[in-house]
C-alpha cells in the first residue's frame, strides 16, 4: 500500500520524459502545461509516498481506507481515459489523412487558378485600354491646364461611356484633381488622395493596376501616366466595379486555399495540439476526479475515522467523546450505537469512580486513624502491646521497649509466652492470667529485674478485645506503665510524713534529756563510787541524744526541703572550697582548671551534695593509703558536672538499685538519708545525681544545667 504512490509517481515521470517538448516542437504552451501538470502530480505522489515510508507511528484514523478509495476511483477513471486518448489519437490521424487527400489538393489548385485568371484578365483589359489614352492630346492638354473644367469633364464622360468604366479622374503633375466623372453620381470636387501605386506609376511612366476593397465591394483601379512632349504631365485614374458574386467566390477560394495550405503545412502541429489538448483534458479530468474522489472518500471515511479516533480516546480513558449522527445510513446507526455504548461506559465508570472515591475516603480515614494511633502510640510514655487470639504480638510501641528493655526477638508475630522468658516472665504470667480469667479486665503491679542490675516497678492493665460487626479482630490489649518514680515518690512522701511526725514527737524531749545527762555528769560525778562507769553511761546518753538530734535534723530536711536560692556560682570555686574543707586529708586530689565557668544554682545545697559525696568516698577509703579520692569538674555550653571518684572496695551490685532510696545505707552508722537528700537537691535543680561506676573506681557525678528551667522560662 505504501509503494503504490511511488510506483504511480515513477510512471508519471516516465510519461513526462517521453512527452517532454523539444525546442520549436508542436504543441506550444499546451504541451508545457501538460508537462507541468504531470510533474506536479508526480511530485505530489512522490512526497506522499515518502511520507508514508517515513511514517513510524500509526497513521490517522481512516487515512488508509481513504487512500484506497481515491486510488481505486482514479484508477477506474484512468483506464477508460487512456483508451479514449488512444482512440481519439487514431481518429485524428485518420481524419487528417482524409482532410489532406490528393483529390482535395487538386481541386483547390484548380479553383485558385480560376480565381487568379479572372483577376488577371480584368487587369489585362484595363491596362490595354489605358495604353490608348496615355498619349491622348486632349488629356495631355487638359492636364497641362489648356482646357476648361467643363470641356475636360465632357471629354472624360465620353471616355467613361466608351470604356464602360464606373469612374474616371484626371490629375496634373502636382496631384491636383483636374476633372472627374463617375457613373450615376456627380463627380466629387475633392478626390481621394493618390495611393503609393499611383505615385509610382506617375514617376516611372508606366501603367499600373491594383484591387481596392471598399465597403460596397472590390474595385479594380488602373493608373495611366499622361506623357507630354518631354515628360509626364498628369495621371489618369479609372475604376471599374467587379461583380460581387464572382469576387466573393474568388476571395473565398483564395482564403480556403491559404487555410488549406497552412493546415497542410501545420499538419503535425495540429495533430500534436489535438493530442496535447486531449491529454490536458484527461489530466484535468483526472485532477477533478481525484479531487472529487478525495472529497467523496473523506466524506465517506470521516465517520469511520471519527469512530476510530473516538475508540482511541475511549481506550485512553476519555469517555466524554460523542460522534456526530448526521447520516441516516449504516454509519449513522454505528455512530448512534457507539454513543450509547460510550454513555453506558461513562455511567459505569462514574459509578466505579464514586465507589472508588468512597473506598479511598474510607481508606484515607482509616489511614488517618492509623496514623493518629501510631503517632499516639509512638509518643505515649505508656507501653502498649496488642496480642491476637493466637497469642502472637501484633503491635507494640517504642515506650514498652524502653520500659522493659525488650530484646531483639520482640517483633510483631512473635509468640508472647515464648518471648516472655527470664526476667520478663511476669509479663507472660500477667497475659496468661488475663487470658484464662472470666473478667475482661485485669490490673496488677509487679517488679521486673532488668539488665545491668536495674529494677522497675510496673503497673500492668489488660483488656480482652472481642470481634464486632465492623471488625473481625479479637485478642488482648496490654498497657504497661513504669511507676517506679511514682512508687519512690509515694515512699518518699510516706517517709517524709513519718519523718515529720517523728521529728515533732522526738525533737522536744531530746534537749531536756541531753541537758539532764550533762547536769548529772557535772553534779554527781564526784559522788559516785565508780566514775568511769558513770562517765561512760552519761556520755552514752549524751552521744545518743546528739545522734538522735542529727537524725531528726535529717528527717526534717527530707520532709521539707527548702527552696534553692539560685545565683551564678563559680564551678571551680566550689572545688576550691572542697579542697580547703578537706585539706586535712592527704589522700584527696582536687583538680581545678579555673576557666571562669559559672553555674546558676544554690551554692549551699550543691556544697551539701559535694560534702556528702566526699564523706562517702573518705569512708570507703579509710583503710587505704595514698591519694585515692579524686574530685574534678567538666563544663560545656549547657551543663556543669562535678565528679567524685574513689579507689575503695566499691558498692555491690545488689545495692546499686537501692542506693538512692531513703533509709538505705551500706554503712552501719549511716542514716540512709544522705544520698536520698543529695538526689532530691539535684532533681530540684533540674539535674541528676548518678552512679557511673560502682567499683574500681567508684564514680559519682552531679550534673546540673548551667541555666535553670525557671530562669529560661522567665527570660
Amino acid at each position: 500500500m505504501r509503494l503504490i504512490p511511488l510506483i504511480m509517481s515513477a510512471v508519471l515521470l516516465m510519461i513526462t520524459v517521453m512527452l517532454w517538448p523539444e525546442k520549436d516542437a508542436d504543441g506550444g504552451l499546451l504541451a508545457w502545461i501538460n508537462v507541468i501538470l504531470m510533474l506536479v502530480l508526480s511530485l505530489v505522489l512522490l512526497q506522499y509516498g515518502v511520507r508514508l515510508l517515513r511514517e513510524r507511528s500509526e497513521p490517522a484514523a481512516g487515512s488508509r481506507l481513504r487512500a484506497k478509495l481515491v486510488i481505486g476511483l482514479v484508477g477506474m477513471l484512468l483506464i477508460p481515459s487512456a483508451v479514449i486518448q488512444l482512440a481519439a489519437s487514431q481518429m485524428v490521424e485518420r481524419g487528417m489523412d482524409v482532410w489532406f487527400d490528393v483529390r482535395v489538393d487538386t481541386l483547390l489548385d484548380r479553383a485558385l487558378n480560376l480565381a487568379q485568371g479572372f483577376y488577371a484578365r480584368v487587369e489585362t483589359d484595363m491596362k490595354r485600354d489605358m495604353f490608348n489614352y496615355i498619349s491622348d492630346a486632349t488629356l495631355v492638354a487638359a492636364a497641362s491646364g489648356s482646357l476648361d473644367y467643363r470641356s475636360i469633364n465632357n471629354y472624360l464622360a465620353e471616355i467613361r461611356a466608351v470604356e464602360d468604366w464606373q469612374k474616371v479622374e484626371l490629375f496634373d503633375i502636382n496631384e491636383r484633381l483636374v476633372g472627374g466623372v463617375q457613373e450615376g453620381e456627380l463627380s466629387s470636387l475633392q478626390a481621394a488622395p493618390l495611393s503609393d501605386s499611383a505615385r509610382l506609376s506617375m514617376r516611372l511612366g508606366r501603367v499600373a493596376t491594383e484591387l481596392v476593397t471598399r465597403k460596397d465591394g472590390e474595385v479594380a483601379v488602373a493608373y495611366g501616366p499622361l506623357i507630354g512632349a518631354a515628360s509626364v504631365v498628369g495621371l489618369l485614374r479609372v475604376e471599374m466595379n467587379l461583380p460581387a458574386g464572382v469576387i466573393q467566390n474568388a476571395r473565398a477560394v483564395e482564403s480556403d486555399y491559404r487555410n488549406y495550405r497552412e493546415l497542410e503545412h501545420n499538419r503535425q502541429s495540429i495533430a500534436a495540439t489535438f493530442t496535447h489538448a486531449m491529454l490536458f483534458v484527461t489530466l484535468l479530468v483526472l485532477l477533478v476526479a481525484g479531487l472529487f474522489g478525495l472529497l467523496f472518500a473523506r466524506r465517506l471515511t470521516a465517520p469511520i475515522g471519527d469512530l476510530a479516533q473516538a475508540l482511541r480516546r475511549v481506550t485512553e480513558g476519555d469517555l466524554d467523546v460523542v460522534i456526530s449522527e448526521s447520516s441516516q445510513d449504516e454509519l449513522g446507526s454505528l455512530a448512534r450505537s457507539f454513543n450509547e455504548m460510550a454513555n453506558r461506559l461513562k455511567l459505569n465508570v462514574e459509578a466505579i469512580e464514586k465507589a472508588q472515591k468512597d473506598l479511598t475516603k474510607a481508606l484515607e480515614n482509616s489511614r488517618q486513624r492509623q496514623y493518629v494511633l501510631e503517632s499516639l502510640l509512638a509518643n505515649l510514655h505508656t507501653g502498649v502491646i496488642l496480642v491476637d487470639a493466637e497469642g502472637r504480638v501484633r503491635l507494640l510501641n517504642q515506650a514498652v521497649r524502653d520500659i522493659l528493655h525488650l530484646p531483639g526477638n520482640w517483633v510483631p508475630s512473635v509468640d508472647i509466652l515464648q518471648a516472655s522468658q527470664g526476667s520478663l516472665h511476669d509479663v507472660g504470667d500477667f497475659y496468661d492470667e488475663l487470658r484464662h480469667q472470666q473478667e475482661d479486665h485485669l490490673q496488677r503491679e509487679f517488679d521486673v529485674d532488668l539488665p545491668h542490675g536495674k529494677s522497675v516497678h510496673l503497673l500492668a492493665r489488660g483488656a480482652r478485645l472481642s470481634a464486632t460487626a465492623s471488625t473481625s479482630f479479637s485478642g488482648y490489649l496490654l498497657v504497661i506503665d513504669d511507676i517506679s518514680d511514682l512508687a519512690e515518690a509515694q515512699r518518699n512522701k510516706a517517709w517524709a510524713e513519718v519523718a515529720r511526725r517523728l521529728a515533732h514527737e522526738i525533737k522536744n524531749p531530746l534537749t531536756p534529756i541531753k541537758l539532764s545527762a550533762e547536769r548529772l555528769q557535772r553534779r554527781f560525778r564526784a559522788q559516785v563510787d565508780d566514775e568511769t562507769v558513770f562517765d561512760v553511761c552519761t556520755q552514752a546518753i549524751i552521744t545518743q541524744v546528739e545522734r538522735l538530734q542529727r537524725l531528726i535534723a535529717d528527717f526534717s530536711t527530707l520532709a521539707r526541703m527548702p527552696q534553692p536560692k539560685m545565683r551564678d556560682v563559680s564551678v571551680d570555686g566550689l572545688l576550691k572550697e572542697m579542697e580547703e574543707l578537706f585539706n586535712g586529708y592527704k589522700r584527696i586530689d582536687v583538680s581545678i582548671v579555673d576557666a571562669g565557668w559559672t553555674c546558676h544554682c544554690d551554692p549551699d545545697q550543691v556544697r551539701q551534695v559535694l560534702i556528702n559525696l566526699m564523706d562517702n568516698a573518705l569512708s570507703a577509703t579509710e583503710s587505704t593509703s595514698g591519694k585515692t579520692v579524686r574530685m574534678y569538674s567538666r563544663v560545656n555550653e549547657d551543663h556543669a558536672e562535678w565528679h567524685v571518684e574513689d579507689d575503695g572496695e566499691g558498692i555491690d551490685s545488689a545495692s546499686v538499685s537501692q542506693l538512692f532510696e531513703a533509709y538505705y545505707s551500706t554503712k552501719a552508722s549511716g542514716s540512709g538519708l544522705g544520698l536520698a537528700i543529695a538526689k532530691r537537691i539535684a532533681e530540684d535543680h533540674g539535674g541528676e545525681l548518678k552512679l557511673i561506676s560502682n567499683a574500681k573506681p567508684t564514680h559519682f557525678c552531679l550534673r546540673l544545667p548551667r541555666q535553670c528551667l525557671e530562669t529560661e522560662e522567665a527570660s
Side-chain angles (χ1 to χ4, degrees):
M1 182 64 192
R2 295 185 177 184
L3 294 177
I4 291 178
L6 295 177
I7 295 173
M8 295 179 66
S9 175
V11 172
L12 277 176
L13 285 175
M14 291 175 62
I15 296 174
T16 303
V17 172
M18 293 173 60
L19 297 179
W20 193 271
E22 299 179 357
K23 186 177 180 181
D24 299 332
D26 299 329
L29 180 61
L30 195 58
W32 286 107
I33 292 176
N34 291 333
V35 169
I36 292 173
L37 285 177
M38 287 189 291
L39 283 176
V40 170
L41 282 175
S42 61
L43 290 177
V44 170
L45 290 173
L46 180 62
Q47 186 267 341
Y48 181 66
V50 172
R51 189 180 68 181
L52 287 179
L53 290 177
R54 289 184 176 179
E55 196 172 54
R56 300 296 182 183
S57 60
E58 187 69 19
S63 61
R64 290 182 176 178
L65 179 59
R66 186 181 307 124
K68 290 180 180 179
L69 288 174
V70 173
I71 292 173
L73 291 174
V74 173
M76 292 174 60
L77 185 62
L78 183 61
I79 295 174
S81 298
V83 173
I84 293 173
Q85 177 76 18
L86 293 175
S89 298
Q90 293 297 323
M91 290 178 64
V92 169
E93 289 293 333
R94 302 216 172 197
M96 295 293 287
D97 292 339
V98 173
W99 294 343
F100 297 103
D101 190 52
V102 177
R103 292 171 292 178
V104 176
D105 189 24
T106 304
L107 181 62
L108 287 176
D109 287 340
R110 292 176 180 177
L112 182 61
N113 291 331
L114 289 175
Q116 291 178 350
F118 173 76
Y119 284 119
R121 182 167 183 176
V122 170
E123 290 180 353
T124 302
D125 292 343
M126 290 187 72
K127 285 183 178 180
R128 185 183 64 244
D129 294 337
M130 286 297 291
F131 278 114
N132 296 329
Y133 298 101
I134 59 175
S135 300
D136 189 279
T138 304
L139 293 176
V140 172
S144 301
S146 301
L147 298 177
D148 56 8
Y149 181 75
R150 182 183 297 272
S151 300
I152 295 172
N153 284 341
N154 290 334
Y155 187 73
L156 293 177
E158 292 176 358
I159 295 173
R160 186 198 69 76
V162 172
E163 300 295 338
D164 196 18
W165 289 331
Q166 277 70 39
K167 189 176 183 179
V168 179
E169 292 177 332
L170 180 63
F171 296 89
D172 61 7
I173 192 64
N174 295 321
E175 298 182 5
R176 289 181 302 176
L177 181 63
V178 176
V181 294
Q182 61 184 8
E183 182 182 5
E185 297 180 5
L186 295 176
S187 177
S188 177
L189 296 178
Q190 184 176 0
L194 296 177
S195 64
D196 294 337
S197 297
R199 294 190 184 93
L200 184 60
S201 175
M202 191 185 312
R203 184 175 301 110
L204 296 178
R206 296 178 181 178
V207 176
T209 60
E210 65 177 344
L211 296 177
V212 179
T213 302
R214 295 178 181 174
K215 295 180 180 180
D216 54 351
E218 289 190 357
V219 178
V221 181
Y223 305 100
L226 300 176
I227 302 173
S231 62
V232 177
V233 297
L235 178 69
L236 179 64
R237 182 174 71 179
V238 299
E239 295 180 2
M240 184 178 68
N241 293 332
L242 299 176
V246 176
I247 296 303
Q248 184 175 2
N249 292 331
R251 291 300 182 189
V253 170
E254 291 179 356
S255 177
D256 291 339
Y257 184 81
R258 285 195 299 271
N259 292 335
Y260 178 80
R261 292 304 179 188
E262 184 176 357
L263 290 175
E264 185 180 17
H265 178 72
N266 297 326
R267 177 177 179 175
Q268 297 298 327
S269 177
I270 293 172
T273 302
F274 185 82
T275 302
H276 286 293
M278 287 294 296
L279 181 60
F280 174 75
V281 173
T282 302
L283 293 175
L284 188 61
V285 170
L286 287 176
L287 286 175
V288 174
L291 179 60
F292 277 98
L294 180 61
L295 295 177
F296 173 74
R298 181 171 296 175
R299 184 174 181 181
L300 183 63
T301 59
I304 300 175
D306 294 341
L307 179 61
Q309 184 67 22
L311 285 173
R312 186 176 301 166
R313 291 174 60 184
V314 170
T315 304
E316 294 173 354
D318 183 8
L319 299 179
D320 294 328
V321 59
V322 177
I323 302 177
S324 176
E325 304 176 5
S326 57
S327 60
Q328 301 298 324
D329 53 6
E330 289 78 3
L331 292 176
S333 176
L334 183 61
R336 286 189 293 272
S337 299
F338 176 82
N339 291 334
E340 292 176 0
M341 180 196 70
N343 189 28
R344 290 181 182 178
L345 282 176
K346 182 178 180 182
L347 294 177
N348 293 335
V349 170
E350 288 177 352
I352 294 174
E353 288 180 351
K354 184 177 182 301
Q356 186 178 4
K357 288 181 180 178
D358 295 339
L359 290 175
T360 303
K361 185 176 180 181
L363 181 60
E364 288 179 355
N365 293 333
S366 175
R367 288 178 177 175
Q368 290 177 358
R369 289 194 296 270
Q370 182 180 1
Y371 174 74
V372 172
L373 179 60
E374 291 177 353
S375 300
L376 179 62
L377 291 176
N379 291 281
L380 275 178
H381 296 289
T382 300
V384 178
I385 302 176
L386 183 63
V387 185
D388 59 17
E390 287 76 21
R392 296 188 176 278
V393 176
R394 296 288 297 274
L395 177 67
L396 69 163
N397 64 345
Q398 185 62 33
V400 74
R401 294 183 180 275
D402 297 337
I403 292 173
L404 299 177
H405 293 270
L406 295 178
N409 63 334
W410 277 77
V411 294
S413 75
V414 70
D415 189 288
I416 188 172
L417 292 178
Q418 294 180 359
S420 301
Q421 301 294 332
S423 61
L424 299 176
H425 68 90
D426 290 326
V427 178
D429 295 341
F430 176 76
Y431 163 72
D432 191 57
E433 183 181 357
L434 174 64
R435 184 179 59 171
H436 290 93
Q437 71 171 9
Q438 297 295 328
E439 291 79 7
D440 292 336
H441 299 277
L442 179 64
Q443 179 172 323
R444 292 286 185 270
E445 291 187 21
F446 49 85
D447 294 324
V448 175
D449 295 329
L450 300 178
H452 308 295
K454 184 178 181 181
S455 178
V456 293
H457 189 73
L458 303 180
L459 172 62
R461 287 165 289 182
R464 180 181 286 108
L465 304 177
S466 302
T468 61
S470 59
T471 177
S472 59
F473 179 81
S474 61
Y476 304 91
L477 179 65
L478 307 183
V479 180
I480 300 175
D481 288 297
D482 182 5
I483 59 173
S484 301
D485 294 338
L486 179 61
E488 183 179 358
Q490 289 177 346
R491 288 195 300 269
N492 291 336
K493 184 177 181 181
W495 279 111
E497 182 64 21
V498 171
R500 186 182 65 80
R501 292 184 180 184
L502 286 175
H504 178 72
E505 296 294 336
I506 300 175
K507 183 178 180 180
N508 292 332
L510 288 180
T511 301
I513 292 173
K514 180 181 178 182
L515 292 176
S516 297
E518 290 177 349
R519 185 176 180 184
L520 287 173
Q521 193 177 28
R522 286 194 305 269
R523 293 193 60 180
F524 297 104
R525 186 174 182 277
Q527 300 178 8
V528 297
D529 296 334
D530 191 349
E531 294 181 359
T532 304
V533 175
F534 182 78
D535 290 339
V536 170
C537 291
T538 54
Q539 187 63 36
I541 294 172
I542 294 171
T543 302
Q544 294 301 320
V545 168
E546 290 177 349
R547 181 175 178 274
L548 287 174
Q549 286 179 338
R550 291 195 301 271
L551 183 62
I552 293 301
D554 291 339
F555 280 163
S556 299
T557 301
L558 180 64
R560 186 178 61 234
M561 289 292 295
Q563 291 293 330
K565 299 177 181 179
M566 312 296 286
R567 62 187 179 89
D568 290 334
V569 179
S570 173
V571 175
D572 291 334
L574 292 174
L575 290 179
K576 291 179 180 179
E577 293 182 10
M578 293 298 102
E579 185 180 21
E580 294 175 358
L581 182 62
F582 295 95
N583 190 27
Y585 295 92
K586 302 301 182 180
R587 60 179 183 273
I588 294 178
D589 182 11
V590 179
S591 300
I592 301 174
V593 179
D594 196 12
W597 295 98
T598 60
C599 179
H600 199 71
C601 62
D602 186 336
D604 294 331
Q605 292 186 1
V606 174
R607 191 181 297 113
Q608 181 180 353
V609 174
L610 296 180
I611 290 173
N612 183 274
L613 294 177
M614 291 294 292
D615 286 338
N616 291 339
L618 290 173
S619 298
T621 57
E622 285 180 347
S623 60
T624 60
S625 60
K627 295 182 179 181
T628 57
V629 177
R630 294 174 294 278
M631 189 176 187
Y632 57 90
S633 64
R634 290 178 180 173
V635 185
N636 56 30
E637 295 293 336
D638 299 323
H639 296 88
E641 297 177 351
W642 289 270
H643 296 263
V644 177
E645 299 178 0
D646 67 77
D647 296 330
E649 296 181 356
I651 304 171
D652 59 274
S653 300
S655 301
V656 171
S657 60
Q658 299 176 331
L659 191 62
F660 295 101
E661 294 183 1
Y663 309 109
Y664 178 83
S665 177
T666 58
K667 297 185 294 183
S669 60
S671 63
L673 297 176
L675 289 178
I677 294 173
K679 183 177 181 182
R680 178 76 176 274
I681 291 173
E683 291 175 351
D684 289 345
H685 280 73
E688 60 178 341
L689 176 62
K690 58 183 178 179
L691 175 63
I692 297 178
S693 173
N694 61 333
K696 299 298 180 179
T698 304
H699 185 182
F700 285 89
C701 175
L702 173 62
R703 189 170 186 262
L704 301 180
R706 296 189 60 205
Q707 295 293 331
C708 65
L709 297 177
E710 293 79 6
T711 303
E712 292 177 355
E713 293 175 356
S715 61

